[in-house]
Amino acid sequence: MFSCALRYLSSYINKMVPEVVFVLGAPGAGKGTQCSLISKEYGFVHLSAGDLLREERQRPGSEYGEMIEQKIRNGEIVPVEVTCSLLHKAMQKSGQKRFLIDGFPRNKDNLEGWTRVMSDKTTLLFVLFFECSRDLCTERCLGRGAAGSGRSDDNLDSLQKRFNTYLNDTMPIVEHYEQQGLVRKINAEVAPEKVFEDVKKAFDACGLNQLTN
Ligand code: C5P
Ligand code: MG
């Protein structure tokens, strides 16, 4: 809590530095759903690394389209140069100063790439980490696929690979931030409104206020 307050204070002093909250959790933990709620209530810009990669995959003439599709289908992580540059461009284009970065950093390469290029240009407020059992996450993603998500990775085969990547590559990143006291763990097994109650506590504790309207 103390380190969060310190970071918040230093970013308050230098208002030009964009503030970032990383959002991590297993596939199907509800990161996107919660990010929509947060962005509405706290005015953060929601940038999903997965959505930006899917967009780039669809962009006519993209030199990365095929590589991205292959990685997504196999639940593997795209090289950080591609993802970080998409995030950086989206941040600049928004003209805003507060960002929820959803699904990033997902592995060591992501973390190192961000540290190299972005950590001096941003203030990391904290990391929201949504905890949810593998069974429930799988059920949600398969349900999402059956309901027509159109995602090429909401199937059992891809999900198994996505979970392996999550356990082997993403969990060490969560642990890395945990050692720095930056992780806010949220139980994501309950209904979205209930999850959001806990999310709000994390934002309020960091001195971030809900928008008034
Ligand atoms: O977060 P989401 O579930 O939308 O991510 C879908 C896929 O996009 C991941 O399984 C991975 O293949 C790719 N991805 C990535 N690097 C990230 C985030 C997502 O390669 N930082
Ligand atoms: Mg998502």
Side-chain angles (χ1 to χ4, degrees):
M1 213 45 70
F2 183 63
S3 70
C4 165
L6 262 187
R7 278 161 193 269
Y8 184 67
L9 187 68
S10 71
S11 104
Y12 186 78
I13 291 164
N14 185 358
K15 262 293 166 208
M16 297 312 289
V17 179
E19 295 164 339
V20 162
V21 171
F22 288 143
V23 182
L24 294 174
K31 302 184 291 292
T33 306
Q34 292 302 316
C35 284
S36 303
L37 296 169
I38 300 164
S39 102
K40 263 191 224 126
E41 296 228 10
Y42 289 87
F44 277 62
V45 177
H46 174 202
L47 297 179
S48 155
D51 286 351
L52 289 169
L53 289 167
R54 282 184 283 271
E55 222 174 84
E56 174 65 20
R57 176 188 61 183
Q58 296 311 115
R59 191 174 62 79
S62 167
E63 59 181 305
Y64 304 118
E66 263 177 49
M67 178 271 288
I68 292 173
E69 173 55 17
Q70 198 199 348
K71 295 277 184 200
I72 287 182
R73 244 178 225 283
N74 287 320
E76 291 167 359
I77 305 303
V78 171
V80 69
E81 288 73 17
V82 175
T83 316
C84 202
S85 129
L86 292 171
L87 286 168
H88 194 181
K89 274 190 222 149
M91 288 169 79
Q92 286 177 319
K93 196 171 150 201
S94 77
Q96 301 287 310
K97 291 283 170 217
R98 282 180 166 169
F99 302 94
L100 290 169
I101 303 199
D102 164 5
F104 185 94
R106 276 287 233 284
N107 65 3
K108 201 160 172 269
D109 176 59
N110 275 190
L111 176 62
E112 288 173 356
W114 177 269
T115 306
R116 243 185 344 261
V117 182
M118 296 299 290
S119 63
D120 285 353
K121 300 187 177 79
T122 53
T123 298
L124 174 61
L125 296 179
F126 54 89
V127 178
L128 267 187
F129 174 51
F130 291 106
E131 283 189 303
C132 189
S133 74
R134 181 170 181 157
D135 282 353
L136 187 51
C137 283
T138 304
E139 193 185 304
R140 287 179 183 169
C141 289
L142 292 179
R144 185 167 76 182
S149 71
R151 284 181 54 154
S152 59
D153 59 351
D154 280 341
N155 59 74
L156 206 50
D157 187 40
S158 293
L159 269 168
Q160 262 152 9
K161 295 174 179 162
R162 288 162 73 190
F163 261 100
N164 286 343
T165 301
Y166 167 70
L167 292 174
N168 296 330
D169 301 338
T170 310
M171 279 314 292
I173 305 303
V174 175
E175 281 150 24
H176 161 84
Y177 284 122
E178 215 162 8
Q179 280 161 15
Q180 299 179 23
L182 282 171
V183 175
R184 308 291 176 263
K185 269 190 203 174
I186 310 281
N187 171 17
E189 298 201 334
V190 292
E193 316 79 67
K194 285 248 180 227
V195 177
F196 192 52
E197 289 303 311
D198 283 349
V199 168
K200 281 198 267 197
K201 284 180 201 155
F203 278 76
D204 294 345
C206 200
L208 297 158
N209 298 317
Q210 275 172 266
L211 299 173
T212 47
N213 47 22

